[in-house]
Amino acid sequence: MSAITRDEVAHLARLSRLALHEDELDRLAAQLDVIISAVAEVQEVAKGDIPPTSHALPLTNVYRPDEVRPCLTPDQALAGAPAVEDGRFRVPQILGEEE
């Protein structure tokens, strides 16, 4: 695989609308070359007989069973509210009416 050139990095920067300094072009060319080489190595290892995975180890979620439990009544929930209206929390209006 060929190395990434400064001109290619400059072209990508123009397409991305990034303003890069001359020293950044050389540094990024070397870094992009390493990244592309690493991706190429992974592609070589990832053959068709290996299924794709999202994690290296199998994950399982642990849930507790759904159980009905006692909860607050509406009056208890609204007891600490600074303002209540029609059995609901009253909050200040933040948007004007549509015209």
Side-chain angles (χ1 to χ4, degrees), residues 18-91:
L18 297 173
L20 297 178
H21 296 287
E22 294 298 317
D23 58 326
E24 291 176 309
L25 292 174
D26 293 325
R27 184 171 41 87
L28 289 173
Q31 290 175 353
L32 286 172
D33 193 44
V34 170
I35 291 169
I36 291 174
S37 297
V39 170
E41 286 180 35
V42 170
Q43 287 177 335
E44 288 178 17
V45 173
K47 298 297 180 187
D49 58 339
I50 300 172
T53 60
S54 61
H55 293 83
L57 301 173
L59 299 177
T60 56
N61 287 328
V62 180
Y63 297 105
R64 63 177 162 82
D66 289 335
E67 298 173 0
V68 177
R69 296 184 179 184
C71 61
L72 297 175
T73 65
D75 291 334
Q76 290 172 327
L78 295 171
V84 176
E85 183 178 307
D86 296 327
R88 295 177 289 195
F89 293 99
R90 179 172 165 70
V91 295

